[in-house]
Short mmCIF file of all heavy atoms in Angstrom, two decimals:
data_model
loop_
_atom_site.label_atom_id
_atom_site.label_comp_id
_atom_site.label_asym_id
_atom_site.label_seq_id
_atom_site.Cartn_x
_atom_site.Cartn_y
_atom_site.Cartn_z
N TYR A 49 21.08 29.03 25.57
CA TYR A 49 21.01 29.54 26.94
C TYR A 49 21.51 28.51 27.95
O TYR A 49 22.05 28.86 29.00
CB TYR A 49 19.58 29.95 27.29
CG TYR A 49 19.19 31.30 26.75
CD1 TYR A 49 18.40 31.42 25.61
CD2 TYR A 49 19.61 32.47 27.38
CE1 TYR A 49 18.04 32.66 25.11
CE2 TYR A 49 19.25 33.72 26.89
CZ TYR A 49 18.47 33.81 25.75
OH TYR A 49 18.13 35.03 25.26
N MET A 50 21.31 27.23 27.65
CA MET A 50 21.77 26.19 28.57
C MET A 50 23.29 26.17 28.65
O MET A 50 23.86 25.74 29.65
CB MET A 50 21.23 24.83 28.15
CG MET A 50 21.45 23.73 29.18
SD MET A 50 20.65 22.20 28.73
CE MET A 50 21.17 21.16 30.13
N ALA A 51 23.94 26.62 27.57
CA ALA A 51 25.40 26.63 27.53
C ALA A 51 25.99 27.94 28.04
O ALA A 51 27.21 28.04 28.22
CB ALA A 51 25.89 26.37 26.11
N THR A 52 25.15 28.96 28.29
CA THR A 52 25.67 30.28 28.68
C THR A 52 25.11 30.78 30.00
O THR A 52 25.64 31.75 30.55
CB THR A 52 25.37 31.32 27.59
OG1 THR A 52 23.96 31.34 27.31
CG2 THR A 52 26.13 30.99 26.31
N SER A 53 24.05 30.17 30.50
CA SER A 53 23.41 30.64 31.74
C SER A 53 23.46 29.53 32.78
O SER A 53 22.86 28.46 32.58
CB SER A 53 21.96 31.06 31.48
OG SER A 53 21.28 31.33 32.69
N VAL A 54 24.14 29.77 33.87
CA VAL A 54 24.25 28.75 34.93
C VAL A 54 22.89 28.43 35.54
O VAL A 54 22.56 27.24 35.72
CB VAL A 54 25.24 29.21 36.01
CG1 VAL A 54 25.23 28.25 37.19
CG2 VAL A 54 26.65 29.31 35.43
N PRO A 55 22.04 29.42 35.89
CA PRO A 55 20.72 29.07 36.46
C PRO A 55 19.87 28.22 35.51
O PRO A 55 19.20 27.29 35.95
CB PRO A 55 20.09 30.43 36.74
CG PRO A 55 21.23 31.38 36.88
CD PRO A 55 22.26 30.89 35.93
N ILE A 56 19.88 28.55 34.21
CA ILE A 56 19.08 27.78 33.26
C ILE A 56 19.64 26.37 33.12
O ILE A 56 18.89 25.39 33.09
CB ILE A 56 19.02 28.49 31.90
CG1 ILE A 56 18.17 29.77 32.02
CG2 ILE A 56 18.46 27.58 30.81
CD1 ILE A 56 18.09 30.57 30.75
N TYR A 57 20.96 26.25 33.05
CA TYR A 57 21.57 24.91 32.99
C TYR A 57 21.15 24.09 34.20
O TYR A 57 20.78 22.92 34.07
CB TYR A 57 23.08 25.04 32.91
CG TYR A 57 23.80 23.70 32.99
CD1 TYR A 57 24.02 22.95 31.84
CD2 TYR A 57 24.24 23.20 34.21
CE1 TYR A 57 24.66 21.72 31.90
CE2 TYR A 57 24.88 21.96 34.28
CZ TYR A 57 25.09 21.24 33.13
OH TYR A 57 25.71 20.01 33.21
N ALA A 58 21.22 24.71 35.39
CA ALA A 58 20.88 23.98 36.61
C ALA A 58 19.41 23.57 36.62
O ALA A 58 19.08 22.44 36.99
CB ALA A 58 21.20 24.85 37.83
N ALA A 59 18.52 24.48 36.23
CA ALA A 59 17.09 24.18 36.25
C ALA A 59 16.74 23.07 35.26
O ALA A 59 15.98 22.15 35.59
CB ALA A 59 16.28 25.44 35.93
N VAL A 60 17.30 23.14 34.05
CA VAL A 60 17.01 22.11 33.05
C VAL A 60 17.56 20.77 33.49
O VAL A 60 16.89 19.73 33.36
CB VAL A 60 17.61 22.52 31.68
CG1 VAL A 60 17.47 21.38 30.68
CG2 VAL A 60 16.91 23.76 31.15
N ARG A 61 18.76 20.78 34.04
CA ARG A 61 19.35 19.51 34.46
C ARG A 61 18.57 18.89 35.62
O ARG A 61 18.37 17.67 35.64
CB ARG A 61 20.81 19.72 34.85
CG ARG A 61 21.51 18.43 35.25
CD ARG A 61 22.99 18.60 35.41
NE ARG A 61 23.62 17.33 35.77
CZ ARG A 61 24.92 17.17 35.94
NH1 ARG A 61 25.74 18.20 35.76
NH2 ARG A 61 25.43 16.00 36.28
N ILE A 62 18.14 19.71 36.57
CA ILE A 62 17.37 19.18 37.71
C ILE A 62 16.08 18.54 37.22
O ILE A 62 15.70 17.44 37.65
CB ILE A 62 17.10 20.31 38.72
CG1 ILE A 62 18.36 20.65 39.49
CG2 ILE A 62 15.99 19.90 39.69
CD1 ILE A 62 18.23 21.85 40.38
N ARG A 63 15.38 19.21 36.31
CA ARG A 63 14.13 18.66 35.81
C ARG A 63 14.35 17.41 34.97
O ARG A 63 13.62 16.42 35.10
CB ARG A 63 13.38 19.73 35.00
CG ARG A 63 12.77 20.82 35.86
CD ARG A 63 11.89 21.74 35.07
NE ARG A 63 10.89 21.03 34.27
CZ ARG A 63 9.70 21.52 33.97
NH1 ARG A 63 9.35 22.71 34.44
NH2 ARG A 63 8.87 20.85 33.21
N SER A 64 15.36 17.43 34.09
CA SER A 64 15.59 16.27 33.23
C SER A 64 16.03 15.05 34.05
O SER A 64 15.62 13.92 33.75
CB SER A 64 16.63 16.61 32.17
OG SER A 64 17.90 16.85 32.75
N GLU A 65 16.84 15.27 35.07
CA GLU A 65 17.27 14.15 35.89
C GLU A 65 16.14 13.63 36.76
O GLU A 65 16.08 12.42 37.05
CB GLU A 65 18.47 14.56 36.75
CG GLU A 65 19.74 14.79 35.93
CD GLU A 65 20.95 15.09 36.78
OE1 GLU A 65 20.77 15.32 38.00
OE2 GLU A 65 22.07 15.08 36.24
N ALA A 66 15.23 14.51 37.16
CA ALA A 66 14.07 14.05 37.93
C ALA A 66 13.17 13.17 37.07
O ALA A 66 12.70 12.11 37.51
CB ALA A 66 13.29 15.25 38.48
N ILE A 67 12.90 13.60 35.83
CA ILE A 67 12.10 12.78 34.92
C ILE A 67 12.83 11.48 34.59
O ILE A 67 12.20 10.41 34.45
CB ILE A 67 11.77 13.56 33.64
CG1 ILE A 67 10.76 14.67 33.94
CG2 ILE A 67 11.22 12.65 32.56
CD1 ILE A 67 9.40 14.17 34.39
N MET A 68 14.14 11.54 34.47
CA MET A 68 14.92 10.34 34.18
C MET A 68 14.76 9.30 35.29
O MET A 68 14.79 8.09 35.04
CB MET A 68 16.39 10.71 34.01
CG MET A 68 17.31 9.56 33.65
SD MET A 68 19.04 10.08 33.51
CE MET A 68 19.38 10.55 35.21
N ARG A 69 14.58 9.78 36.52
CA ARG A 69 14.45 8.86 37.66
C ARG A 69 13.07 8.25 37.78
O ARG A 69 12.90 7.29 38.54
CB ARG A 69 14.78 9.63 38.95
CG ARG A 69 16.26 9.97 39.11
CD ARG A 69 16.44 11.09 40.11
NE ARG A 69 15.84 10.79 41.40
CZ ARG A 69 15.70 11.69 42.38
NH1 ARG A 69 16.11 12.94 42.18
NH2 ARG A 69 15.16 11.35 43.52
N THR A 70 12.10 8.77 37.07
CA THR A 70 10.75 8.20 37.15
C THR A 70 10.66 6.97 36.25
O THR A 70 10.91 7.05 35.05
CB THR A 70 9.69 9.23 36.71
OG1 THR A 70 9.97 9.64 35.37
CG2 THR A 70 9.71 10.45 37.61
N PRO A 71 10.32 5.81 36.80
CA PRO A 71 10.25 4.59 35.97
C PRO A 71 9.03 4.60 35.06
O PRO A 71 7.95 5.05 35.46
CB PRO A 71 10.17 3.47 37.00
CG PRO A 71 9.52 4.11 38.20
CD PRO A 71 9.99 5.54 38.21
N TRP A 72 9.20 4.14 33.85
CA TRP A 72 8.09 3.99 32.91
C TRP A 72 7.78 2.50 32.81
O TRP A 72 8.57 1.72 32.25
CB TRP A 72 8.47 4.56 31.54
CG TRP A 72 8.47 6.06 31.52
CD1 TRP A 72 8.28 6.89 32.57
CD2 TRP A 72 8.71 6.90 30.38
NE1 TRP A 72 8.38 8.21 32.17
CE2 TRP A 72 8.64 8.24 30.84
CE3 TRP A 72 8.98 6.66 29.05
CZ2 TRP A 72 8.81 9.34 30.00
CZ3 TRP A 72 9.16 7.74 28.19
CH2 TRP A 72 9.07 9.06 28.67
N GLU A 73 6.63 2.11 33.32
CA GLU A 73 6.23 0.72 33.34
C GLU A 73 4.97 0.53 32.51
O GLU A 73 3.97 1.25 32.71
CB GLU A 73 6.00 0.24 34.77
CG GLU A 73 7.26 0.27 35.64
CD GLU A 73 7.01 -0.24 37.05
OE1 GLU A 73 5.81 -0.42 37.40
OE2 GLU A 73 7.98 -0.44 37.79
N ALA A 74 5.00 -0.42 31.62
CA ALA A 74 3.82 -0.74 30.80
C ALA A 74 2.96 -1.75 31.56
O ALA A 74 3.47 -2.65 32.21
CB ALA A 74 4.25 -1.31 29.46
N PHE A 75 1.66 -1.57 31.48
CA PHE A 75 0.75 -2.50 32.14
C PHE A 75 -0.50 -2.69 31.29
O PHE A 75 -0.82 -1.89 30.41
CB PHE A 75 0.36 -2.01 33.54
CG PHE A 75 -0.38 -0.69 33.54
CD1 PHE A 75 -1.76 -0.64 33.40
CD2 PHE A 75 0.31 0.50 33.69
CE1 PHE A 75 -2.44 0.56 33.41
CE2 PHE A 75 -0.36 1.71 33.68
CZ PHE A 75 -1.75 1.73 33.53
N GLN A 76 -1.21 -3.74 31.59
CA GLN A 76 -2.45 -4.06 30.91
C GLN A 76 -3.59 -4.00 31.91
O GLN A 76 -3.49 -4.55 33.02
CB GLN A 76 -2.37 -5.46 30.29
CG GLN A 76 -3.61 -5.88 29.52
CD GLN A 76 -3.47 -7.30 29.00
OE1 GLN A 76 -2.70 -8.10 29.53
NE2 GLN A 76 -4.21 -7.62 27.95
N THR A 77 -4.66 -3.30 31.54
CA THR A 77 -5.82 -3.19 32.42
C THR A 77 -6.74 -4.39 32.18
O THR A 77 -7.21 -4.63 31.06
CB THR A 77 -6.58 -1.88 32.16
OG1 THR A 77 -5.70 -0.77 32.36
CG2 THR A 77 -7.76 -1.75 33.12
N LEU A 78 -6.99 -5.14 33.22
CA LEU A 78 -7.83 -6.34 33.14
C LEU A 78 -9.30 -5.95 33.19
O LEU A 78 -9.66 -4.82 33.59
CB LEU A 78 -7.48 -7.29 34.28
CG LEU A 78 -6.01 -7.74 34.33
CD1 LEU A 78 -5.77 -8.64 35.53
CD2 LEU A 78 -5.63 -8.44 33.04
N PRO A 79 -10.21 -6.85 32.78
CA PRO A 79 -11.65 -6.54 32.81
C PRO A 79 -12.16 -6.10 34.17
O PRO A 79 -13.10 -5.31 34.27
CB PRO A 79 -12.29 -7.86 32.36
CG PRO A 79 -11.25 -8.51 31.52
CD PRO A 79 -9.94 -8.15 32.16
N ASN A 80 -11.57 -6.61 35.25
CA ASN A 80 -12.01 -6.22 36.59
C ASN A 80 -11.39 -4.92 37.07
O ASN A 80 -11.59 -4.51 38.22
CB ASN A 80 -11.70 -7.34 37.57
CG ASN A 80 -10.20 -7.64 37.66
OD1 ASN A 80 -9.38 -7.00 37.00
ND2 ASN A 80 -9.85 -8.64 38.47
N GLY A 81 -10.63 -4.26 36.19
CA GLY A 81 -10.02 -2.99 36.54
C GLY A 81 -8.63 -3.09 37.13
O GLY A 81 -7.95 -2.07 37.32
N ALA A 82 -8.19 -4.30 37.42
CA ALA A 82 -6.85 -4.47 37.98
C ALA A 82 -5.79 -4.27 36.91
O ALA A 82 -6.05 -4.40 35.71
CB ALA A 82 -6.72 -5.87 38.59
N ARG A 83 -4.59 -3.94 37.35
CA ARG A 83 -3.49 -3.70 36.43
C ARG A 83 -2.52 -4.87 36.46
O ARG A 83 -2.09 -5.32 37.54
CB ARG A 83 -2.75 -2.41 36.79
CG ARG A 83 -3.56 -1.15 36.56
CD ARG A 83 -2.72 0.09 36.87
NE ARG A 83 -3.43 1.31 36.56
CZ ARG A 83 -2.91 2.53 36.70
NH1 ARG A 83 -1.68 2.66 37.17
NH2 ARG A 83 -3.62 3.60 36.40
N ASN A 84 -2.16 -5.34 35.30
CA ASN A 84 -1.20 -6.42 35.16
C ASN A 84 0.08 -5.84 34.55
O ASN A 84 0.12 -5.49 33.37
CB ASN A 84 -1.76 -7.52 34.26
CG ASN A 84 -0.77 -8.65 34.06
OD1 ASN A 84 0.04 -8.94 34.94
ND2 ASN A 84 -0.82 -9.27 32.89
#
Side-chain angles (χ1 to χ4, degrees):
Y49 280 102
M50 190 174 178
T52 55
S53 172
V54 173
I56 290 178
Y57 174 86
V60 172
R61 182 170 181 178
I62 286 173
R63 287 188 51 150
S64 66
E65 291 185 349
I67 289 295
M68 182 181 66
R69 289 161 55 190
T70 59
W72 286 4
E73 297 181 349
F75 62 87
Q76 182 183 23
T77 302
L78 302 178
N80 61 1
R83 292 183 175 182
N84 178 31

